[in-house]
Amino acid sequence: MIIIRLDRMLADRKMQLSKLAELVDVSVVNLSNLKTGKVKAVRFSTLNAICKALDCQPGDILEYVEEDEE
């Protein structure tokens, strides 16, 4: 499973979600959905813009965690 760590990156950069939305030209609602993991896909262009705005790598935002098989 992929975990979104956007909230951690925003906190590290002391940036509000609204400021990031302005920088990457994506709605606050869409970024909020991304931040909370409510999306099923992310465009590479959006990921690229987020990484540029936050001066980070995709791996700083996305984390793979193996799911428990029950």
Side-chain angles (χ1 to χ4, degrees):
M1 148 172 47
I2 301 294
I3 305 291
I4 308 294
R5 300 290 184 199
L6 185 57
D7 53 346
R8 182 169 55 189
M9 289 305 302
L10 287 168
D12 288 349
R13 302 297 192 265
K14 296 178 174 62
M15 185 183 293
Q16 297 291 318
L17 193 63
S18 57
K19 179 62 177 177
L20 180 62
E22 181 183 315
L23 291 172
V24 301
D25 196 28
V26 173
S27 74
V28 174
V29 171
N30 284 341
L31 282 181
S32 180
N33 286 337
L34 176 63
K35 187 175 91 164
T36 57
K38 294 179 182 174
V39 296
K40 299 291 181 199
V42 178
R43 292 178 187 262
F44 281 125
S45 59
T46 301
L47 184 58
N48 184 67
I50 290 170
C51 288
K52 183 176 180 181
L54 294 176
D55 188 29
C56 67
Q57 295 293 314
D60 297 328
I61 299 170
L62 305 173
E63 180 181 344
Y64 172 75
V65 177
E66 194 166 331
E67 294 183 54
D68 293 332
E69 293 183 31
E70 295 181 21

